[in-house]
Amino acid sequence: MNLTERLLQALARRGATEVFGIPGDFALPLFREIERSKRLPLYTLSHEPAVGFAADAASRIRGGLGVAAVTYGAGAFNLVNVVAGAYAERVPLVVLSGAPAAHEAASGYLLHHQVKTLDSQWRVFEELTADRARLDDMRQAPQLIARVLDTALRESLPVYLEIPRDMPGRPCDEVPDTPPPPIDTQALAACADELLARLRRAERPMLMVGVEVRRYALEDRVAELARRLGVPVVTSFMGRGLLAGNGTALRGTYLGLAGDVELAADVEGSDGLLLLGVIVSDTNFAVSAKRIDLRFAIQALGGRVVMGHHVYPDLPLAALIDALLERVPAPPARTAHAAATPAPREAPPIDTTPVVPADIADAVNRLLRRHGPMPIACDVGDCLFTAMDMDPTALIAPGYYATMGYAVPAALGLQAATGQRPIVLVGDGAFQMTGWELGNALRHGWDPIVLVFNNASWEMLRAFEPEGHFNDRGTWDFAAMAAGMGGDGHLVRTRAELEAALARAHATRGRFQLLDIRLAPGARSPTLERFVNAVRRLSMPG
C-alpha cells in the first residue's frame, strides 16, 4: 500500500468515517489517491472554513477523528479559525495539508502560496494543534502518523499532518496501533476514593457534565454513574444535549442568571459539585449570581483531576469514570434519583401573530414530540439561546469559542457522518458567511432543515450596542435563493406560517428545506434577554 492508503486505514481505525476537503495543486496527488483508494468517502465543499466545520461536527457527533484535507498556504490558512475553535472546544480534528515537494523547496524560488518562509504554515499550526508531523520520509511515516493521530484521540485536540506532493503514492508500511500510556493505578485509586469521600460528605452534591463526556464516548457510562450516585445532574451550557437519549433525569442546563433560578441556586450552592469534562469558561460560568468557588469543586478535565489543592495528573476521564463505577454499587431501581424536570412552557396559540424566537422553540418542540428526536446543529447568537428552550436532543454548537458560520456546514458534516437528518438553527449574519454550502447538499444526498433567524441584523451584538448601525445587515430574501442551490425555500412571518412550513419541510425528503423566518428588530429569546441583563449587571462597577 502507498502512504495515502496507510494513512486512510489508520484514520478509519481511529473512528474517521469520511474526509472533507477542497483540492489545490499541492494537494492534487493526495486527493487523487484518496479518491482512488475508496477507503473513506471524500466530500468536497466550496470553502475551507466549511470543510473544517463539517469535519469538526462529524467528530463531535459520532466521536473519533474528523478529517479536513486542504492544499498548502491559501487552503490551510483558511482553516486557521476552525482549528483554533477545535482546540478551544477540545475536538480531535485532523488537518491533512499538501505541501511543496523537497526538490521544489530547494529550488531557490519563492513558491506560490508561500508567505514568509516555507515553514510559516507549520509554525502557525504549531500554535493551534497538540501534535504535528511532516511526512517526507517513508521510513518514519508510519510511526509519525500513529503518534500524531493517537495524540489527537488521547488529548481530544486537533493535529496537523503535512504531506509533500511527491509523497502520497509512495510505498509505505502499515501504521501501528500504539498502546495507550500507562496509568498510575495507585494514583487512580486514591483519586477515586477521595472524590467519593468528598461527595459523601457533601450535603448538596451535584453532577455537571460537559463536552469531554461526548468527546470520549462516555455518555452511557456517565449516565450509569449518575444513577448509582443518586445526585442531581445538569449539563453545562456547552454540554447542552448530553445524556439526552439515555433516560437520565436531567435537571436542565446551568445558565447562571440567564437560566432557571432554582437550578442556578442549587448549582452555585452545591458543596460537592463534580464537573466531568466541563470547560471552565466564561460562557459556562461568567453569569453566575454567586460565583462558583472552584476550590471546593471537583474538576475532571484535560486528563487531570483537581480537588482543592490536590491535583491528580495524567488520569484520563474514561479511567476515572470506570474507577468510580467499580466503587459505587448499582442501587435498586426505586432508589435511583428521579429529579423533577421543569414543566414545559405553555405555548401560545398558532395564529397570525408575528413570529418571535420563543415561537421557534415551541414549533421545534412540537415537531420533535410528534416525530421523535432529531439532532440540531446550531450557530452562535440568539439561535443558540433559543435552543436552550428546546427539548433535550443531540446538539452541536461552538458555545465557547463562539465563531460564526458554524451551523450549516456542521449540519452537512453531521448528516454525512451519521445519516441522520439535522435541524439547523442559524442567524442571517452567520448564514451570509457559510449558508451557501447548502448548494453542495443535493450532490451529496443531504437534506437538512434550515431555520434562518432573519432579523436583518447581528441581533445579539445589537443587544449590547443598540445604537450601532454597524449591526445592520439588510433584509436578504433567503427563501427565494434556496431553489437556485437545489433546495426549497419557505418564507415565514407568522406562527401559523411557521407551523405549516416546518411540517412541509419535515415531510419533504431529498432536498434541503430552508425556512426564512422574518423576525422584527429587537425580537429576542427570553434567555438572551436574561443573559444580556445579567452581563450588564455583573459588569457594572461596585
Side-chain angles (χ1 to χ4, degrees), residues 134-142 144 167:
R134 183 177 288 120
L135 305 181
D136 56 2
D137 183 338
M138 291 304 99
R139 294 169 298 177
Q140 299 182 43
L144 291 175
M167 294 292 161

Side-chain angles (χ1 to χ4, degrees), residues 237 255 257-259 287 357-358 380-389 453 455 458-464 522-536:
F237 177 64
L255 299 173
L257 291 168
V287 292
V380 295
D382 201 12
C383 57
L384 182 52
F385 286 101
T386 300
M388 299 299 112
D389 292 322
F453 290 52
N455 47 28
W458 289 318
E459 188 60 35
M460 182 170 173
L461 300 179
R462 187 184 299 283
F464 291 99
R524 300 170 190 146
S525 70
T527 305
L528 176 57
E529 290 286 8
R530 290 192 297 269
F531 178 81
V532 171
N533 291 335
V535 170
R536 286 175 176 159

Side-chain angles (χ1 to χ4, degrees), residues 4-5 7-8 19 27-42 67 69 96:
T4 304
E5 292 171 315
L7 174 58
L8 294 173
V19 177
L28 285 175
L30 174 64
F31 275 68
R32 181 187 64 238
E33 294 301 325
I34 292 174
E35 188 171 74
R36 180 182 296 168
S37 77
K38 295 182 171 58
R39 175 74 62 172
L40 293 176
L42 172 62
V67 187
L96 307 179

Side-chain angles (χ1 to χ4, degrees), residues 345-354 359 362 366 494-496 499:
R345 186 178 81 92
E346 184 176 349
I350 302 170
D351 54 20
T352 57
T353 302
D359 297 325
D362 292 335
R366 284 191 292 271
T494 69
R495 293 171 182 164
E499 192 76 11

Side-chain angles (χ1 to χ4, degrees), residues 279-287 399-400 531:
I279 296 175
V280 182
S281 66
D282 54 357
T283 50
N284 279 333
F285 296 111
V287 292
Y400 162 42
F531 178 81

Side-chain angles (χ1 to χ4, degrees), residues 331-343:
R334 66 179 181 275
T335 65
H337 180 76
T341 55

